[in-house]
Amino acid sequence: MNRIRQIIEAKGKEILNVYFTAGYPTLDSIVPIIKSLEDSGADIIELGMPYSDPLADGVTIQQSSEQALANGLNLKNLFESIAEARKTCTIPIIMMGYFNQLLQYGIEDFLKLAHHNGVDGMIIPDLPMEIYKRDYQALFAQYNIGMSFLITPMTSDDRIHLADDLSDAFIYMVSQSSITGKKGDISNQQRKYFERINNMKLKSPILIGFGIHDNATYRTACNYSHGAIIGSAFIRALKDSKDVTSITKSFVSDIRG
Amino acid sequence: MNYKYHPTIDGFYGDFGGAYVPEMLHSNVAKLRDVYEQIMDEPEFKKEFDELLRDYVGRPSPLYLAKKLSASHGCNIYLKREDLNHTGAHKINNTIGQILLAKRLNKKRIIAETGAGQHGVATATVCALMGLECIVYMGAVDIKRQAPNVARMRMLGATVVPAESGSKTLKDATNEAIRDWINNAEDTHYIIGSAIGPHPYPDMVTKFQSVISEEIQSQLQEKTGKDHPDYVVACVGGGSNAAGAFYHFLHDDRVQLILAEAAGKGIDSGESAATSILGTKGIIHGCMTLLMQTDDGQIVEPYSLSAGLDYPGIGPMHAHLITSGRAKVHAATDDEAMNAVISLSKDEGIIPALETAHALAILERIDFNKNDNVVICLSGRGDKDLNTFIDYIGQN
Ligand SMILES: Cc1ncc(COP(=O)(O)O)c(C=O)c1O
């Protein structure tokens, strides 16, 4: 079984998966943020590979990606940072990126390197499940990189079952039909959607993401799933910070409440 | 006959095409894919589409034998006058089709991206016609250089939203439109303005634009006694006017297909939009195609003086036509395009759009025979570029 899934199932609830854009706010902040997230008790790290054209992302992640690229982040120094963090950290690391980034590197070369440097999983929002299944599933399995596919309120039951079959880490339940970074409370309509998915009794664990930004929304997400993914809110907290270690600690403790 | 230049059921043209969209867009794109051909084939739909093209757009557009241009290139050059369409370019052929489709899908809100503003104007126009809300995303840089079209869109009742990310041009406007569609997937139809994007857009846009080559066939028959030219030449941004001008000749080997890309300040200058020449295989805006990118797969910001060609990718059908050798590409610089604008204005009394001028500028790279019939898709008129022309002529 994939290590991410093992950890989610062992704990069973209140999983906190924190996203940040690699290379933001500075190039050398990757390793300290990873360490600090682990020390603060986050369960999973989702490391965003900054992309020039992140279609599914709101303005916060867009700007952090632009900044990270301007800081000089590339795949080479990103993997070096992951390797460095892995010398001391055991927390599961997922890489999140757009399919073109893997394509250019070469899918197998990328997976080999990811595996070699201690990456446990990937999220690729614009890789369609059908193409993954036909062309790449075997390769991801060979390098033990666990995939997590997205479902949304508009995803059909058939596709939800496909996501359940193909996701060997967890199902990424997108909380609403939107790009990342929405603020505000969780509506009744969203709760009904969470319940509907719960009632499907899927075999994969579920984490809820998009719009989870504080203790209240995190708690609500945890009530309906194995836990939550927080991204834009953490990026906003990191903005202009000099001391990423202490910001990370206080952010995680505020979220956990 | 093997239609090897038409897409497969999944929207692939050879290695290119497909629908690489985030799950948030999957249901919208899949719905379109499942219904677009059926809707387009309904007799009622065809009737409405044809009537609007005739009575509202002013089709058929003339096919004009340009005598001085022909003499200077030593062949017969016909201009397919898409510049005479209502709103001044080919773009309206597609927006008429897509607005009729949007109505049948019960969509209440229309979004579009635009570069030169021609597609934005064409979308705002059909939204005014049908009484639908219209939001147009346009790069902040393009809002400046195509000010007359921004004013037109606003007069037509559209909201123009500046795209402030990246290079602030067409690519970024397209990103913003896609994000809007993700946020408003249920009530909104996205009218893409070129033969780009996830399947079924490239095929759908191509089919709506294919009225261009359909008319060329019958007009040439009448004028020359032949139903096909020896060459069709068109400029390519995303590739919609080229796709429309090529469509009925794709599988006719007697017809050479020529694409004109924007070399900007020169192909190797670092400021270029010669996408197929500088590009490699990858994904942009939901389709596999040729695009300008770094080794790390970051999309490179293109440059062209012409806002409509300032795009780092190319439609997937064109990527297939080019890599399979069916179509040839030439690139024209800003200066060459400007010279072509000036010549056509003086020699033929027609001021072409700066985009279109790239198709005229590359003619000198081709060895025509004396009896060759050459059709150039005169995709749009130059009114919108007047500020650019004035600045350029002032500086040179
Ligand atoms: C007059 C004109 N021609 C050509 C183009 C390029 O688009 P396409 O390649 O889709 O025809 C544009 C785009 O704005 C345009 O306005």
Side-chain angles (χ1 to χ4, degrees), chain B residues 296-317:
Chain B
D296 258 8
Q298 307 290 347
I299 298 177
V300 167
E301 291 168 5
Y303 164 82
S304 166
L305 186 61
S306 104
L309 305 185
D310 199 354
Y311 184 71
I314 188 174
M317 181 181 93

Side-chain angles (χ1 to χ4, degrees), chain B residues 67-79:
Chain B
K67 299 204 183 56
K68 287 191 198 137
L69 195 61
S70 297
S72 73
H73 291 283
C75 57
N76 305 315
I77 298 184
Y78 292 87
L79 304 177

